Amino acid sequence: MPRKPQQPRAHATVGAIVEAGFISLARHGVENTTTRHIADIAGVSVGSLYEYFANKEEVFDAMHEHMVREVVGMVRPLIPTLVRMDIRELVAELLYRFRDLLERDDGRYLRYMSYAAYFAPRDQIEPINRLLMDLLMKYVMHHPRLVRLGNLPAMGFIMINGGVFTVIRYLTEPNPTVAFDDLVRGLGDMVAHFVDGELQRAGSAD
Amino acid sequence: MPRKPQQPRAHATVGAIVEAGFISLARHGVENTTTRHIADIAGVSVGSLYEYFANKEEVFDAMHEHMVREVVGMVRPLIPTLVRMDIRELVAELLYRFRDLLERDDGRYLRYMSYAAYFAPRDQIEPINRLLMDLLMKYVMHHPRLVRLGNLPAMGFIMINGGVFTVIRYLTEPNPTVAFDDLVRGLGDMVAHFVDGELQRAGSAD
DNA sequence: GGCATATCCGAGTTGAATCCGAACAATTAG
DNA sequence: CTAATTGTTCGGATTCAACTCGGATATGCC
């Protein structure tokens, strides 16, 4: 039964362990990330690690939470601005920011992200999905013509998942054959043309 | 150093181990899939497993190869037919077949795929990517108006990765909020509208 | 300072991955 | 057909990483 850190010293230990988790993962990959590695990098003993985490899995969970908080913290304040943008700009802004976040600290988060989908249970990714779905809904509200779009849940699912995974996969590609700019432009065009096409279809169906 | 099976009995053993891998994975998840489990399900001893596979990883590699062969074997013969279809039909046909394959044998392949999609080294997924890129190119050839589309590599990357991951993610969702039919229709619309939009843009730029 | 509590430590235990040498089966030479 | 050789299987022994535990050290409060 892991304990809650109470003194500042203990909080620092927990923080160091989580950070060490990212570092070890980026350095050795998941397979070769042992509790001993993590403890060593964090500068504490294995015993201390198990003082605050029931098992290795929980360290990953904590890393995940950290990452989610980071992403949400980045996107949420942008929402009011994003909502007023042209749809292509929105896609671009979001994707460039997302890339920058993932590539920070030598791709520490990116490396984790490419494993997370497998490790992390659904409900841990959920906050990000909800956030993006929320953004989508707010965007539609601010652009009344979009209210006519049908089946937003399905389209949201496609755009969010398709977008996120495509970018993660692109960034982990060792030597990409296309430029990131082209990818971003492509995704923007995709969404924009979809919207235009659907609106046209809805309009002619009146 | 693992050996190559030579006698039919040994081939059967190897086959049983690979199949047992899928079964164990579907039953217990990756975490709890041990070599002992796999050997037990296959009806052989651990020793035999290590006779043909250097380590557990290699069992997974073999499963991967099996899966890729399965997918390629399904898609390749369809290409001549797909290439003549309307683009929405093509997307639908491909996705329904893909789903059926993944859900065969109680989702044996799906379970593996959701693990492999993130973990498998690039070069192991490559054949599927190449196959789909090939399909895309052939499709463009058969529909000359599409030749005007710009930046096919980037769009191919988006459509292939976005499509595949979206579907895998959808199928592993415990209780999806949208119907698979809607997802398929959405993806079809996405691609179709994109094509129309781009052609329109290219046309007006003449 | 002295007590209570929080934190840290690392050798020891446990179990899964992997190795290995003997037993068993198939194939081949004579 | 028998013996020798080569292929196959087996399961106990070994190794290494996850995790535990009892004691040592640090912190905060009186």
Side-chain angles (χ1 to χ4, degrees), chain A residues 3 6-7 9-10 13 45 47-48 52:
Chain A
R3 87 171 57 188
Q6 307 191 359
Q7 302 176 359
R9 180 168 61 132
T13 299
S45 76
S48 298
Y52 302 105

Side-chain angles (χ1 to χ4, degrees), chain B residues 3 7 13 45 47-48 51-52:
Chain B
R3 85 170 63 184
Q7 302 176 359
T13 300
S45 77
S48 297
E51 203 67 42
Y52 301 105

Side-chain angles (χ1 to χ4, degrees), chain A residues 92-109:
Chain A
E93 179 71 13
L94 219 44
L95 292 185
Y96 281 117
R97 295 238 188 201
F98 190 44
R99 178 193 60 173
D100 291 346
L101 177 65
L102 289 178
E103 290 192 333
R104 218 157 78 189
D105 297 316
D106 298 314
R108 182 181 295 186
Y109 292 148

